[in-house]
Amino acid sequence: MKACEIAESLHAVPITLWDEDSRNTEYSAAFATDLMSDALALIQERPESVALITGLVNSQTLRTAEMLDMRFVVFVRGKYPSDETIEMAEEMGITVIATDLTMYDACGLLYQKGLGGIYGSHTA
Amino acid sequence: MAVILHKDYKVERDDYAAAGKVSSDIKQTLNSIGYDPKVMRRIAVASYESEINMLIHAYGGDITMDIMDDGQVKLVFKDPGPGIPDLEKALTPGFSTASEKARAMGFGAGMGLPNIQRVTDDFDIQSSQDGTTLTLSFRPAK
């Protein structure tokens, strides 16, 4: 699923890095958590094509994405990052979008549209 | 086996704003010498979790990185205390003594040390009330 399709599905607003290449980048799975240690522990295969969905809007989310070579972060629950966090994402080359949806709804919508989890267990 | 690159870092006590900066530099350093991306990711994860631990559980500390001529990477995290009272418990997934502040940062799920151990080739931890030293080694992919 392309980044722009994910954004459209979630009625999300783009915050950083939304050029043509970023919009058209394909993501094959998503992982949702507010616990960065869980992301660090579980996202092992092809993290560059996994979207990170989280309500944790601070620099540690970006650091976690950086450590894992992830390139796409979706902030949920109407949370908006600080200028400092936005600047950090831009420096790291990470695309960030934000939606008012709750994590449950955001995950449900994306799953329904065919974006599965990191273990490839999509059956909807 | 000779050291081809050595770096020293300092993590200041309670400097939450800088959390992850050392690990970011470690990753960028490895990236700049063309290190294997998969092993580099394991190193980055272990380093980041360890750096966060120094902030949320210890009074800051010192970090060193040595890159050997055979591609091995050795990281040492040395803090001045207060030490880990029960190491066995600390290594149990899900066990946590983290503060609200740590949780607000997205940590404190009790996955830190088990996670570090899982991604590291050689893992050694020594702890007393005078401090904890974590020594981690990573071997390049064959």
Side-chain angles (χ1 to χ4, degrees):
Chain A
M1 201 170 188
K2 285 182 184 170
C4 58
E5 293 166 339
I6 293 174
E8 197 184 334
S9 305
L10 302 178
H11 310 289
V13 289
I15 296 174
T16 62
L17 209 68
W18 203 240
D19 56 76
E20 198 178 341
D21 276 356
S22 312
R23 287 196 302 273
N24 289 314
T25 303
E26 284 279 347
Y27 293 88
S28 57
F31 184 83
T33 187
D34 287 346
L35 295 170
M36 292 304 119
S37 281
D38 282 356
L40 290 163
L42 297 171
I43 302 170
Q44 291 167 33
E45 297 300 321
R46 295 177 31 86
E48 66 282 356
S49 60
V50 177
L52 178 62
I53 302 171
T54 183
L56 187 79
V57 186
N58 66 28
S59 59
Q60 299 318 312
T61 298
L62 275 308
R63 284 281 177 223
T64 299
E66 180 193 22
M67 294 304 143
L68 289 170
D69 300 315
M70 298 182 81
R71 298 160 59 203
F72 192 29
V73 173
V74 181
F75 287 132
V76 294
R77 303 196 285 269
K79 295 191 181 180
Y80 204 84
S82 66
D83 290 349
E84 201 185 2
T85 303
I86 292 172
E87 202 178 309
M88 203 174 181
E90 276 166 354
E91 273 171 24
M92 291 172 179
I94 294 171
T95 294
V96 175
I97 64 172
T99 175
D100 287 338
L101 295 174
T102 64
M103 187 184 276
Y104 180 82
D105 287 338
C107 294
L109 275 171
L110 294 178
Y111 199 88
Q112 200 176 34
K113 294 198 173 190
L115 189 67
I118 54 168
Y119 299 132
S121 54
H122 188 266
T123 52
Chain B
M1 201 165 46
V3 176
I4 55 166
L5 201 152
H6 172 87
K7 279 197 153 188
D8 291 304
Y9 303 94
K10 195 155 194 67
V11 173
E12 299 293 344
R13 185 173 182 169
D14 293 331
D15 188 5
Y16 286 90
K21 272 194 181 163
V22 171
S23 303
S24 180
D25 188 86
I26 285 175
K27 187 163 188 257
Q28 280 168 29
T29 303
L30 291 167
N31 199 32
S32 71
I33 60 165
Y35 206 79
D36 178 277
K38 271 200 153 175
V39 185
M40 181 168 67
R41 202 180 300 138
R42 288 200 282 120
I43 296 171
V45 167
S47 172
Y48 184 43
E49 288 277 15
S50 306
E51 185 183 350
I52 293 289
N53 276 347
M54 277 187 151
L55 272 172
I56 65 182
H57 296 296
Y59 314 130
D62 296 297
I63 301 175
T64 60
M65 170 171 70
D66 285 306
I67 304 175
M68 312 295 180
D69 56 2
D70 65 353
Q72 268 198 68
V73 173
K74 187 175 161 189
L75 300 178
V76 179
F77 299 80
K78 194 171 169 50
D79 70 57
I84 303 168
D86 190 334
L87 258 181
E88 201 180 320
K89 270 191 182 167
L91 288 163
T92 306
F95 177 80
S96 175
T97 58
S99 64
E100 272 309 306
K101 184 146 196 179
R103 290 175 205 275
M105 287 168 71
F107 291 88
M111 293 303 289
L113 275 178
N115 210 0
I116 296 164
Q117 202 171 19
R118 182 183 56 82
V119 297
T120 306
D121 293 315
D122 291 308
F123 173 98
D124 180 69
I125 187 163
Q126 304 292 332
S127 192
S128 73
Q129 59 192 17
D130 298 325
T132 299
T133 301
L134 185 63
T135 307
L136 313 175
S137 301
F138 304 85
R139 285 185 288 274
K142 289 203 177 96

